[in-house]
Amino acid sequence: MTGLGNTRTRWGPRSRGRMRSRTGPDRVTLGIVGLVCAVAGLFVLGIVLGPVAIVCGWLAMGRRWSSTHIPSVVAVALGAIDTLLAILWLA
């Protein structure tokens, strides 16, 4: 704050060590949200919640397949099943 005697302002970004990483709880939370959407999509609004589960699971995995994120993989698989069943039910 330059008004309180600090005449130096920050021009560059923060150092790497001080920035919050996006690899921890955010991915876990997205995986759980995707899993909840996938399970709820089996019962109601599968045409909406299925793709939401697929996107959340895919983003939680870091846009690549890895078996270390089990809720994310399950969210993508159940989301695909939800979407397929909803499309078949509509047809």
Side-chain angles (χ1 to χ4, degrees):
M1 298 188 343
T2 57
L4 297 176
N6 187 4
T7 58
R8 185 174 175 207
T9 59
R10 180 181 304 173
W11 291 98
R14 290 183 176 179
S15 65
R16 258 187 199 265
R18 293 184 64 195
M19 294 190 72
R20 186 172 158 224
S21 74
R22 290 283 189 192
T23 58
D26 295 336
R27 288 192 177 174
V28 172
T29 303
L30 264 177
I32 292 172
V33 166
L35 184 62
V36 168
C37 287
V39 171
L42 288 172
F43 301 106
V44 294
L45 293 174
I47 195 73
V48 175
L49 293 176
V52 170
I54 292 171
V55 169
C56 286
W58 186 254
L59 290 175
M61 284 190 295
R63 297 185 203 129
R64 58 180 153 60
W65 286 101
S66 83
S67 61
T68 58
H69 302 284
I70 300 299
S72 305
V73 174
V74 173
V76 170
L78 280 180
I81 292 171
D82 290 346
T83 306
L84 188 82
L85 288 176
I87 290 172
L88 288 175
W89 184 76
L90 286 174

